[in-house]
Amino acid sequence: MDRKKGFIRKTRQRDLILKTLRGTDTHPTADWIYEQVKKEMPNISLGTVYRNLGKLAELGEITELNFGSKYSRFDGNAENHYHFVCTECGKILDVKGCKVDKELEKCVEQNNNVEVDFHTTLFYGFCSDCKNKKG
Amino acid sequence: MDRKKGFIRKTRQRDLILKTLRGTDTHPTADWIYEQVKKEMPNISLGTVYRNLGKLAELGEITELNFGSKYSRFDGNAENHYHFVCTECGKILDVKGCKVDKELEKCVEQNNNVEVDFHTTLFYGFCSDCKNKKG
DNA sequence: TTAGATGCAAAGGGTTTGCAACGTC
DNA sequence: GACGTTGCAAACCCTTTGCATCTAA
């Protein structure tokens, strides 16, 4: 078997963490995932959760989101897509129906003498719930 | 004078912090600003720097950037603009020549039943220096 | 005079890490 | 049998906060 440097062993912990993250679209924090996973595997430690989330992100299986500086959130959908953050309730949503604009990257490259690999965009505002609640 | 709640008093510390931040385009961390400001005002404390950066951001005088989760960076340019992050050297640049696209916000609103106030975009890739260095 | 601001230092709190034991290949 | 992984807990480290003192208005 190919055991080159960076070889990743399959473990029950990692499988469960990935399954849990893939099973939600709430963009949870590491701690939320930890709490969920603990229900099925009570002895798992927070450190293990962090280590696995880090590895999964490194492998490109998931995405780590750093909105605001407080804590990281994780997205089981590794495909590049936009996010929306509700400034009222803090909810994070995947943006539907709007394609990631690769043309914009060309514009940035041409005007700034850089090479762009990808970009992330965050929209801020009111989600449908909070939009209705406010005056 | 109008001393409503949230009144902000003018202080030498805040002036110096703002001047320092406005005097660079490197999107520095709080600690870097602290070190710079200390040269002119040796007794200033890190706490004061954080408190003032927070207030200035709240007033809309500056922008707090939360790229990556490690620490916040600050931008003396409060006008909404795009940023570029070099994945090689970590440098952060203001993107020139590409307008913030308000049309995209309309697309997001229409397809996601939300109300968008503003959006931020981060481009990742190689800056001009690192582009040349790599193979 | 009064309430916002500062300096100092301790506390917070999400994340990382060292280490011995464990589990996968 | 190797070596990646785990659980535990302590360490990290950026940021926040309490409090007595200072100071702008």
Side-chain angles (χ1 to χ4, degrees), chain B residues 41-89:
Chain B
M41 199 180 277
N43 288 320
I44 197 170
S45 74
L46 229 198
T48 294
V49 172
Y50 272 105
R51 272 186 286 231
N52 278 307
L53 288 172
K55 269 180 192 146
L56 289 167
E58 210 174 288
L59 290 172
E61 292 282 320
I62 66 175
T63 308
E64 181 171 356
L65 308 171
N66 296 307
F67 310 161
S69 58
K70 251 195 157 29
Y71 20 52
S72 285
R73 290 174 168 278
F74 296 86
D75 190 337
N77 178 3
E79 203 177 316
N80 194 12
H81 59 283
Y82 293 147
H83 290 95
F84 173 89
V85 183
C86 180
T87 50
E88 191 68 13
C89 69

Side-chain angles (χ1 to χ4, degrees), chain A residues 1 3 9-10 50-51 70-72:
Chain A
M1 175 152 290
R3 289 213 211 164
R9 193 166 281 168
K10 184 181 172 65
Y50 272 104
R51 273 186 286 232
K70 250 194 155 30
Y71 21 54
S72 285

Side-chain angles (χ1 to χ4, degrees), chain B residues 115-134:
Chain B
E115 181 183 318
V116 175
D117 287 330
F118 65 98
H119 73 275
T120 62
T121 297
L122 264 181
F123 296 87
Y124 293 87
F126 288 84
C127 70
S128 55
D129 290 344
C130 295
K131 210 171 56 169
N132 296 327
K133 278 179 203 153
K134 70 167 180 172

